[in-house]
Amino acid sequence: MNANPAILAWPVQEDDLLPLALWDAATIAEAAGGTASGDFLCSGVEIDSRDVREGDLFFALKGETTDGHRFLDAAFANGAIAAVVDRPIPQPHILVRDTTEALEALARAARDRVDGRIVGVTGSVGKTGVKEAIFAALDRSSRGGAHRSVKSYNNHVGVPLSLARMPARTRFGIFEMGMNHAGEIAALTHQVRPNVAVITTIAPAHIENLGSEEAIADAKAEIFAGLEKGGTAIIPADSPHFERLRNAARALGAHTISFGKAAHADVRLLDSVAASSGGSLVTADMGDTRICYTVAAAGEHWIINSLAVMATVRAVGGDLGAAGLSLAEMTGLVGRGARHDILLGYGRKALLIDESYNANPASMRATLAQLGQTPAARRIAVLGAMKELGDFSPAFHAALAEPLAQSGAEYALLVGPEMEALASELGKGANGKLGKAIAFAHCKDTDEAIAALAAFGLDDGDAILVKGSNSVGLARLVAHFSGKEG
């Protein structure tokens, strides 16, 4: 052999011994306590037959209204290499007692085999955007070594699915955790076992089920219970619940890092300057150093979100420079701040701001403020109902009159029966800018809103904010006017 001895003596590193395939049949069977029908390798894990790609392992989960076993033929037709099932099938499979328990078991095995740094993210507002920004920063600095939960896979099924998809060679894992009731995040964080746990903010989302903001703060603070020994809790310094969150983290032995405008913040905003692109130039103090970077996403809420991102990247040993570059390139996500130009012909165009995925009182105020800062000939607000507010719903909807007026909106479309309270408030005629009433229409659903906005007519230089809870369906309005599917 004529190979250079130095090449033959190339040191074997620990990562070189890790598998390249995501999972093999024997490992899945061992983790899930099942029996493999034969040998196979899979490159992905999926629970929806419509999303299966070539080489995926399909879990036939049972839900309250459907059974994944009904979709096995579709999954294999789309390229599934094998399936996890609770009954024998002719195709390659892992036979288990319970497919949901098997998915959770595979998630535990995925977490156990990864030696990278794991981040958990929760909060009433901004958790998906912050999760995506942290991922972009860490993926950039690790050259593709980061993994995260996709979309908003943040519940009792989405979290184990996201864990099961995590490659053994992952250097950084970022997982979003959501909840509707107390106790739900506690269950998720013990699966994720983060080294760093981030709470973006506390706001009255899901207050119908929890009853108070204090109870919401306690439910979000459950994320600290899963922290690995010596873990770090990253919390919003500007929150009225800051002390509550910090005490909860410290009671569990966590190191705390706070972010925000407050003088006591560990990662503190020093200055922000609006950029012509709609974003901001941010200067922040991190205690022993100051950093300056650009945030492409518009809105003051993204300035604060960026501080949480920087705090997290530093806490896991990431590259702050790469984080700054990522924030400068990361514009709004679909349904969460994406901006679309609506071409009106003859060189005219309007701007549509897509915030159609979710809404609560805090995020409504933040995005209406963003609308007010957006240069426009006319500002139009399409506001869908905010869900899960319970008995608080009428008051919270009526309270939107003030931020709507401050946004400078000339026309508002209110969508959904819950918006009756805001319509009544606007109908009093004293909430408009400079004392002028805001013209508005109250629509029962998205179809009516599409027709009403078309009848109102868009013109050159208009800025249209579309914001509402996902179940209202305003994504269809966005797709209709932008020509882009959400």
Side-chain angles (χ1 to χ4, degrees), residues 267-312:
V267 178
R268 181 166 61 94
L269 178 67
L270 295 178
D271 188 35
S272 64
V273 179
S276 58
S277 61
S280 306
L281 180 66
V282 176
T283 304
D285 184 352
M286 302 193 75
D288 58 348
T289 188
R290 291 185 176 185
I291 55 175
C292 186
Y293 55 91
T294 297
V295 179
E300 184 176 346
H301 57 297
W302 258 109
I303 295 172
I304 303 302
N305 285 347
S306 76
L307 302 177
V309 173
M310 289 299 188
T312 304

mmCIF file of all heavy atoms in Angstrom, residues 267-312:
data_model
loop_
_atom_site.group_PDB
_atom_site.id
_atom_site.type_symbol
_atom_site.label_atom_id
_atom_site.label_comp_id
_atom_site.label_asym_id
_atom_site.label_seq_id
_atom_site.Cartn_x
_atom_site.Cartn_y
_atom_site.Cartn_z
ATOM 1 N N VAL A 267 -28.346 40.568 30.198
ATOM 2 C CA VAL A 267 -28.138 40.924 28.792
ATOM 3 C C VAL A 267 -29.098 42.079 28.537
ATOM 4 O O VAL A 267 -30.300 41.890 28.398
ATOM 5 C CB VAL A 267 -28.432 39.732 27.856
ATOM 6 C CG1 VAL A 267 -28.250 40.135 26.405
ATOM 7 C CG2 VAL A 267 -27.518 38.562 28.204
ATOM 8 N N ARG A 268 -28.543 43.287 28.495
ATOM 9 C CA ARG A 268 -29.373 44.494 28.570
ATOM 10 C C ARG A 268 -29.307 45.293 27.283
ATOM 11 O O ARG A 268 -28.229 45.502 26.706
ATOM 12 C CB ARG A 268 -28.901 45.361 29.741
ATOM 13 C CG ARG A 268 -29.713 46.647 29.946
ATOM 14 C CD ARG A 268 -29.404 47.254 31.308
ATOM 15 N NE ARG A 268 -28.001 47.605 31.443
ATOM 16 C CZ ARG A 268 -27.485 48.807 31.181
ATOM 17 N NH1 ARG A 268 -28.290 49.774 30.738
ATOM 18 N NH2 ARG A 268 -26.205 49.044 31.344
ATOM 19 N N LEU A 269 -30.474 45.735 26.834
ATOM 20 C CA LEU A 269 -30.550 46.598 25.661
ATOM 21 C C LEU A 269 -30.016 47.981 26.007
ATOM 22 O O LEU A 269 -30.498 48.634 26.935
ATOM 23 C CB LEU A 269 -31.990 46.710 25.184
ATOM 24 C CG LEU A 269 -32.231 47.632 23.982
ATOM 25 C CD1 LEU A 269 -31.576 47.067 22.733
ATOM 26 C CD2 LEU A 269 -33.727 47.849 23.750
ATOM 27 N N LEU A 270 -29.015 48.425 25.261
ATOM 28 C CA LEU A 270 -28.474 49.770 25.449
ATOM 29 C C LEU A 270 -29.079 50.753 24.464
ATOM 30 O O LEU A 270 -29.366 51.898 24.810
ATOM 31 C CB LEU A 270 -26.946 49.750 25.289
ATOM 32 C CG LEU A 270 -26.155 48.948 26.330
ATOM 33 C CD1 LEU A 270 -24.670 48.990 25.992
ATOM 34 C CD2 LEU A 270 -26.399 49.506 27.730
ATOM 35 N N ASP A 271 -29.286 50.283 23.224
ATOM 36 C CA ASP A 271 -29.787 51.203 22.202
ATOM 37 C C ASP A 271 -30.308 50.394 21.022
ATOM 38 O O ASP A 271 -29.852 49.279 20.757
ATOM 39 C CB ASP A 271 -28.647 52.117 21.725
ATOM 40 C CG ASP A 271 -29.147 53.218 20.800
ATOM 41 O OD1 ASP A 271 -30.270 53.702 21.023
ATOM 42 O OD2 ASP A 271 -28.425 53.576 19.854
ATOM 43 N N SER A 272 -31.278 50.957 20.346
ATOM 44 C CA SER A 272 -31.757 50.364 19.098
ATOM 45 C C SER A 272 -32.124 51.490 18.149
ATOM 46 O O SER A 272 -32.723 52.486 18.552
ATOM 47 C CB SER A 272 -32.959 49.455 19.335
ATOM 48 O OG SER A 272 -34.064 50.182 19.831
ATOM 49 N N VAL A 273 -31.745 51.303 16.902
ATOM 50 C CA VAL A 273 -32.005 52.296 15.865
ATOM 51 C C VAL A 273 -32.737 51.613 14.728
ATOM 52 O O VAL A 273 -32.325 50.544 14.265
ATOM 53 C CB VAL A 273 -30.683 52.914 15.351
ATOM 54 C CG1 VAL A 273 -30.968 53.922 14.246
ATOM 55 C CG2 VAL A 273 -29.903 53.556 16.482
ATOM 56 N N ALA A 274 -33.822 52.210 14.289
ATOM 57 C CA ALA A 274 -34.603 51.626 13.201
ATOM 58 C C ALA A 274 -33.792 51.603 11.915
ATOM 59 O O ALA A 274 -33.120 52.576 11.571
ATOM 60 C CB ALA A 274 -35.893 52.414 13.002
ATOM 61 N N ALA A 275 -33.849 50.474 11.228
ATOM 62 C CA ALA A 275 -33.174 50.334 9.942
ATOM 63 C C ALA A 275 -34.165 50.595 8.818
ATOM 64 O O ALA A 275 -35.369 50.398 8.978
ATOM 65 C CB ALA A 275 -32.581 48.935 9.807
ATOM 66 N N SER A 276 -33.664 51.034 7.679
ATOM 67 C CA SER A 276 -34.547 51.371 6.554
ATOM 68 C C SER A 276 -35.316 50.167 6.049
ATOM 69 O O SER A 276 -36.392 50.289 5.469
ATOM 70 C CB SER A 276 -33.727 51.972 5.410
ATOM 71 O OG SER A 276 -32.717 51.060 4.995
ATOM 72 N N SER A 277 -34.766 48.968 6.292
ATOM 73 C CA SER A 277 -35.400 47.731 5.833
ATOM 74 C C SER A 277 -36.572 47.315 6.701
ATOM 75 O O SER A 277 -37.283 46.363 6.380
ATOM 76 C CB SER A 277 -34.364 46.605 5.811
ATOM 77 O OG SER A 277 -33.852 46.402 7.127
ATOM 78 N N GLY A 278 -36.782 48.021 7.822
ATOM 79 C CA GLY A 278 -37.851 47.667 8.750
ATOM 80 C C GLY A 278 -37.347 46.998 10.001
ATOM 81 O O GLY A 278 -38.086 46.843 10.976
ATOM 82 N N GLY A 279 -36.086 46.574 10.004
ATOM 83 C CA GLY A 279 -35.486 45.945 11.174
ATOM 84 C C GLY A 279 -34.852 46.979 12.093
ATOM 85 O O GLY A 279 -35.238 48.150 12.103
ATOM 86 N N SER A 280 -33.845 46.539 12.857
ATOM 87 C CA SER A 280 -33.225 47.419 13.846
ATOM 88 C C SER A 280 -31.742 47.122 13.978
ATOM 89 O O SER A 280 -31.289 45.979 13.794
ATOM 90 C CB SER A 280 -33.884 47.226 15.224
ATOM 91 O OG SER A 280 -35.282 47.388 15.153
ATOM 92 N N LEU A 281 -30.988 48.169 14.318
ATOM 93 C CA LEU A 281 -29.589 48.022 14.711
ATOM 94 C C LEU A 281 -29.559 48.066 16.228
ATOM 95 O O LEU A 281 -29.997 49.037 16.842
ATOM 96 C CB LEU A 281 -28.738 49.149 14.123
ATOM 97 C CG LEU A 281 -27.242 49.102 14.460
ATOM 98 C CD1 LEU A 281 -26.587 47.884 13.832
ATOM 99 C CD2 LEU A 281 -26.547 50.380 13.987
ATOM 100 N N VAL A 282 -29.065 46.999 16.849
ATOM 101 C CA VAL A 282 -29.157 46.816 18.291
ATOM 102 C C VAL A 282 -27.775 46.853 18.937
ATOM 103 O O VAL A 282 -26.828 46.253 18.417
ATOM 104 C CB VAL A 282 -29.844 45.470 18.614
ATOM 105 C CG1 VAL A 282 -29.857 45.201 20.118
ATOM 106 C CG2 VAL A 282 -31.258 45.455 18.062
ATOM 107 N N THR A 283 -27.693 47.531 20.064
ATOM 108 C CA THR A 283 -26.488 47.488 20.893
ATOM 109 C C THR A 283 -26.889 46.950 22.256
ATOM 110 O O THR A 283 -27.850 47.429 22.873
ATOM 111 C CB THR A 283 -25.861 48.871 21.058
ATOM 112 O OG1 THR A 283 -25.589 49.428 19.764
ATOM 113 C CG2 THR A 283 -24.555 48.793 21.849
ATOM 114 N N ALA A 284 -26.166 45.927 22.723
ATOM 115 C CA ALA A 284 -26.519 45.270 23.980
ATOM 116 C C ALA A 284 -25.287 45.101 24.858
ATOM 117 O O ALA A 284 -24.171 44.923 24.368
ATOM 118 C CB ALA A 284 -27.152 43.908 23.719
ATOM 119 N N ASP A 285 -25.506 45.145 26.167
ATOM 120 C CA ASP A 285 -24.461 44.926 27.168
ATOM 121 C C ASP A 285 -24.634 43.519 27.724
ATOM 122 O O ASP A 285 -25.697 43.173 28.246
ATOM 123 C CB ASP A 285 -24.619 45.958 28.283
ATOM 124 C CG ASP A 285 -23.513 45.875 29.325
ATOM 125 O OD1 ASP A 285 -22.706 44.925 29.271
ATOM 126 O OD2 ASP A 285 -23.461 46.756 30.204
ATOM 127 N N MET A 286 -23.577 42.699 27.623
ATOM 128 C CA MET A 286 -23.646 41.333 28.132
ATOM 129 C C MET A 286 -22.839 41.162 29.407
ATOM 130 O O MET A 286 -22.444 40.053 29.772
ATOM 131 C CB MET A 286 -23.183 40.340 27.061
ATOM 132 C CG MET A 286 -23.993 40.412 25.783
ATOM 133 S SD MET A 286 -23.729 39.019 24.655
ATOM 134 C CE MET A 286 -24.646 37.701 25.475
ATOM 135 N N GLY A 287 -22.588 42.267 30.093
ATOM 136 C CA GLY A 287 -21.852 42.218 31.344
ATOM 137 C C GLY A 287 -20.380 42.477 31.161
ATOM 138 O O GLY A 287 -19.863 43.526 31.561
ATOM 139 N N ASP A 288 -19.679 41.547 30.513
ATOM 140 C CA ASP A 288 -18.238 41.700 30.306
ATOM 141 C C ASP A 288 -17.915 42.151 28.887
ATOM 142 O O ASP A 288 -16.745 42.322 28.542
ATOM 143 C CB ASP A 288 -17.515 40.386 30.606
ATOM 144 C CG ASP A 288 -18.019 39.239 29.736
ATOM 145 O OD1 ASP A 288 -19.062 39.416 29.078
ATOM 146 O OD2 ASP A 288 -17.374 38.179 29.723
ATOM 147 N N THR A 289 -18.934 42.339 28.068
ATOM 148 C CA THR A 289 -18.707 42.786 26.699
ATOM 149 C C THR A 289 -19.960 43.447 26.146
ATOM 150 O O THR A 289 -21.062 43.220 26.655
ATOM 151 C CB THR A 289 -18.305 41.588 25.789
ATOM 152 O OG1 THR A 289 -17.903 42.073 24.512
ATOM 153 C CG2 THR A 289 -19.470 40.632 25.608
ATOM 154 N N ARG A 290 -19.759 44.266 25.132
ATOM 155 C CA ARG A 290 -20.886 44.864 24.426
ATOM 156 C C ARG A 290 -20.883 44.370 22.993
ATOM 157 O O ARG A 290 -19.815 44.161 22.399
ATOM 158 C CB ARG A 290 -20.795 46.397 24.446
ATOM 159 C CG ARG A 290 -21.030 46.988 25.831
ATOM 160 C CD ARG A 290 -21.057 48.496 25.793
ATOM 161 N NE ARG A 290 -21.382 49.055 27.102
ATOM 162 C CZ ARG A 290 -21.575 50.349 27.344
ATOM 163 N NH1 ARG A 290 -21.470 51.231 26.348
ATOM 164 N NH2 ARG A 290 -21.875 50.762 28.561
ATOM 165 N N ILE A 291 -22.078 44.180 22.445
ATOM 166 C CA ILE A 291 -22.196 43.681 21.084
ATOM 167 C C ILE A 291 -23.155 44.567 20.304
ATOM 168 O O ILE A 291 -24.068 45.168 20.869
ATOM 169 C CB ILE A 291 -22.679 42.218 21.037
ATOM 170 C CG1 ILE A 291 -23.997 42.054 21.805
ATOM 171 C CG2 ILE A 291 -21.622 41.278 21.595
ATOM 172 C CD1 ILE A 291 -24.591 40.665 21.690
ATOM 173 N N CYS A 292 -22.915 44.653 19.012
ATOM 174 C CA CYS A 292 -23.773 45.426 18.122
ATOM 175 C C CYS A 292 -24.103 44.549 16.919
ATOM 176 O O CYS A 292 -23.203 43.916 16.344
ATOM 177 C CB CYS A 292 -23.068 46.705 17.675
ATOM 178 S SG CYS A 292 -24.109 47.813 16.694
ATOM 179 N N TYR A 293 -25.377 44.473 16.566
ATOM 180 C CA TYR A 293 -25.797 43.590 15.493
ATOM 181 C C TYR A 293 -27.105 44.112 14.901
ATOM 182 O O TYR A 293 -27.777 44.967 15.491
ATOM 183 C CB TYR A 293 -25.974 42.152 16.002
ATOM 184 C CG TYR A 293 -26.918 42.039 17.177
ATOM 185 C CD1 TYR A 293 -28.273 41.804 17.005
ATOM 186 C CD2 TYR A 293 -26.431 42.176 18.479
ATOM 187 C CE1 TYR A 293 -29.138 41.706 18.084
ATOM 188 C CE2 TYR A 293 -27.288 42.079 19.574
ATOM 189 C CZ TYR A 293 -28.635 41.850 19.363
ATOM 190 O OH TYR A 293 -29.486 41.766 20.439
ATOM 191 N N THR A 294 -27.457 43.570 13.742
ATOM 192 C CA THR A 294 -28.691 43.957 13.063
ATOM 193 C C THR A 294 -29.738 42.860 13.218
ATOM 194 O O THR A 294 -29.427 41.672 13.121
ATOM 195 C CB THR A 294 -28.417 44.205 11.571
ATOM 196 O OG1 THR A 294 -27.508 45.291 11.435
ATOM 197 C CG2 THR A 294 -29.710 44.542 10.830
ATOM 198 N N VAL A 295 -30.965 43.277 13.456
ATOM 199 C CA VAL A 295 -32.107 42.355 13.498
ATOM 200 C C VAL A 295 -32.976 42.650 12.283
ATOM 201 O O VAL A 295 -33.513 43.758 12.162
ATOM 202 C CB VAL A 295 -32.921 42.525 14.798
ATOM 203 C CG1 VAL A 295 -34.108 41.572 14.808
ATOM 204 C CG2 VAL A 295 -32.050 42.282 16.018
ATOM 205 N N ALA A 296 -33.103 41.690 11.385
ATOM 206 C CA ALA A 296 -33.867 41.927 10.156
ATOM 207 C C ALA A 296 -35.366 41.987 10.419
ATOM 208 O O ALA A 296 -36.084 42.750 9.779
ATOM 209 C CB ALA A 296 -33.564 40.839 9.136
ATOM 210 N N ALA A 297 -35.855 41.174 11.350
ATOM 211 C CA ALA A 297 -37.295 41.132 11.636
ATOM 212 C C ALA A 297 -37.734 42.448 12.271
ATOM 213 O O ALA A 297 -37.038 43.018 13.116
ATOM 214 C CB ALA A 297 -37.614 39.967 12.567
ATOM 215 N N ALA A 298 -38.903 42.921 11.850
ATOM 216 C CA ALA A 298 -39.380 44.221 12.318
ATOM 217 C C ALA A 298 -40.081 44.109 13.662
ATOM 218 O O ALA A 298 -40.596 43.059 14.042
ATOM 219 C CB ALA A 298 -40.349 44.805 11.289
ATOM 220 N N GLY A 299 -40.078 45.209 14.400
ATOM 221 C CA GLY A 299 -40.836 45.289 15.639
ATOM 222 C C GLY A 299 -39.967 45.299 16.878
ATOM 223 O O GLY A 299 -38.930 44.634 16.934
ATOM 224 N N GLU A 300 -40.412 46.045 17.894
ATOM 225 C CA GLU A 300 -39.659 46.109 19.144
ATOM 226 C C GLU A 300 -39.589 44.746 19.823
ATOM 227 O O GLU A 300 -38.614 44.424 20.505
ATOM 228 C CB GLU A 300 -40.294 47.130 20.091
ATOM 229 C CG GLU A 300 -39.508 47.310 21.374
ATOM 230 C CD GLU A 300 -40.073 48.407 22.279
ATOM 231 O OE1 GLU A 300 -40.896 49.197 21.800
ATOM 232 O OE2 GLU A 300 -39.679 48.443 23.455
ATOM 233 N N HIS A 301 -40.638 43.934 19.649
ATOM 234 C CA HIS A 301 -40.618 42.615 20.275
ATOM 235 C C HIS A 301 -39.452 41.779 19.764
ATOM 236 O O HIS A 301 -38.890 40.963 20.506
ATOM 237 C CB HIS A 301 -41.953 41.886 20.060
ATOM 238 C CG HIS A 301 -42.357 41.709 18.634
ATOM 239 N ND1 HIS A 301 -42.611 42.766 17.790
ATOM 240 C CD2 HIS A 301 -42.564 40.592 17.894
ATOM 241 C CE1 HIS A 301 -42.967 42.316 16.610
ATOM 242 N NE2 HIS A 301 -42.932 40.995 16.631
ATOM 243 N N TRP A 302 -39.049 42.000 18.502
ATOM 244 C CA TRP A 302 -37.920 41.239 17.978
ATOM 245 C C TRP A 302 -36.594 41.774 18.508
ATOM 246 O O TRP A 302 -35.610 41.019 18.585
ATOM 247 C CB TRP A 302 -37.937 41.202 16.455
ATOM 248 C CG TRP A 302 -38.455 39.887 15.984
ATOM 249 C CD1 TRP A 302 -39.649 39.629 15.387
ATOM 250 C CD2 TRP A 302 -37.804 38.618 16.136
ATOM 251 N NE1 TRP A 302 -39.778 38.282 15.151
ATOM 252 C CE2 TRP A 302 -38.663 37.631 15.603
ATOM 253 C CE3 TRP A 302 -36.590 38.225 16.684
ATOM 254 C CZ2 TRP A 302 -38.339 36.280 15.588
ATOM 255 C CZ3 TRP A 302 -36.264 36.865 16.679
ATOM 256 C CH2 TRP A 302 -37.128 35.913 16.135
ATOM 257 N N ILE A 303 -36.554 43.020 18.869
ATOM 258 C CA ILE A 303 -35.345 43.539 19.525
ATOM 259 C C ILE A 303 -35.131 42.798 20.842
ATOM 260 O O ILE A 303 -34.020 42.330 21.149
ATOM 261 C CB ILE A 303 -35.475 45.058 19.772
ATOM 262 C CG1 ILE A 303 -35.545 45.801 18.440
ATOM 263 C CG2 ILE A 303 -34.323 45.571 20.623
ATOM 264 C CD1 ILE A 303 -35.876 47.275 18.574
ATOM 265 N N ILE A 304 -36.197 42.669 21.631
ATOM 266 C CA ILE A 304 -36.093 41.964 22.906
ATOM 267 C C ILE A 304 -35.843 40.472 22.680
ATOM 268 O O ILE A 304 -35.035 39.845 23.370
ATOM 269 C CB ILE A 304 -37.369 42.186 23.746
ATOM 270 C CG1 ILE A 304 -37.602 43.690 23.957
ATOM 271 C CG2 ILE A 304 -37.248 41.474 25.083
ATOM 272 C CD1 ILE A 304 -36.457 44.422 24.643
ATOM 273 N N ASN A 305 -36.532 39.885 21.696
ATOM 274 C CA ASN A 305 -36.284 38.479 21.378
ATOM 275 C C ASN A 305 -34.820 38.225 21.057
ATOM 276 O O ASN A 305 -34.256 37.186 21.428
ATOM 277 C CB ASN A 305 -37.125 38.054 20.168
ATOM 278 C CG ASN A 305 -38.591 37.849 20.493
ATOM 279 O OD1 ASN A 305 -38.973 37.794 21.659
ATOM 280 N ND2 ASN A 305 -39.409 37.752 19.464
ATOM 281 N N SER A 306 -34.204 39.174 20.351
ATOM 282 C CA SER A 306 -32.804 38.984 19.958
ATOM 283 C C SER A 306 -31.878 38.908 21.163
ATOM 284 O O SER A 306 -30.856 38.218 21.134
ATOM 285 C CB SER A 306 -32.359 40.114 19.022
ATOM 286 O OG SER A 306 -32.117 41.328 19.729
ATOM 287 N N LEU A 307 -32.235 39.597 22.249
ATOM 288 C CA LEU A 307 -31.434 39.526 23.472
ATOM 289 C C LEU A 307 -31.503 38.120 24.065
ATOM 290 O O LEU A 307 -30.501 37.591 24.562
ATOM 291 C CB LEU A 307 -31.929 40.549 24.486
ATOM 292 C CG LEU A 307 -31.940 42.021 24.039
ATOM 293 C CD1 LEU A 307 -32.533 42.893 25.139
ATOM 294 C CD2 LEU A 307 -30.533 42.490 23.686
ATOM 295 N N ALA A 308 -32.688 37.517 24.017
ATOM 296 C CA ALA A 308 -32.836 36.142 24.494
ATOM 297 C C ALA A 308 -32.007 35.185 23.644
ATOM 298 O O ALA A 308 -31.397 34.241 24.159
ATOM 299 C CB ALA A 308 -34.309 35.732 24.477
ATOM 300 N N VAL A 309 -31.988 35.428 22.337
ATOM 301 C CA VAL A 309 -31.191 34.598 21.435
ATOM 302 C C VAL A 309 -29.715 34.703 21.779
ATOM 303 O O VAL A 309 -29.011 33.687 21.904
ATOM 304 C CB VAL A 309 -31.439 35.003 19.971
ATOM 305 C CG1 VAL A 309 -30.488 34.261 19.032
ATOM 306 C CG2 VAL A 309 -32.884 34.745 19.584
ATOM 307 N N MET A 310 -29.227 35.922 21.935
ATOM 308 C CA MET A 310 -27.814 36.122 22.254
ATOM 309 C C MET A 310 -27.445 35.494 23.599
ATOM 310 O O MET A 310 -26.384 34.878 23.751
ATOM 311 C CB MET A 310 -27.483 37.612 22.257
ATOM 312 C CG MET A 310 -27.471 38.249 20.877
ATOM 313 S SD MET A 310 -26.217 37.472 19.814
ATOM 314 C CE MET A 310 -26.260 38.539 18.378
ATOM 315 N N ALA A 311 -28.315 35.638 24.579
ATOM 316 C CA ALA A 311 -28.061 35.038 25.895
ATOM 317 C C ALA A 311 -27.968 33.523 25.781
ATOM 318 O O ALA A 311 -27.100 32.885 26.400
ATOM 319 C CB ALA A 311 -29.170 35.432 26.869
ATOM 320 N N THR A 312 -28.838 32.932 24.980
ATOM 321 C CA THR A 312 -28.857 31.481 24.818
ATOM 322 C C THR A 312 -27.630 30.978 24.083
ATOM 323 O O THR A 312 -27.001 29.987 24.485
ATOM 324 C CB THR A 312 -30.121 31.046 24.056
ATOM 325 O OG1 THR A 312 -31.275 31.531 24.749
ATOM 326 C CG2 THR A 312 -30.189 29.542 23.931
#
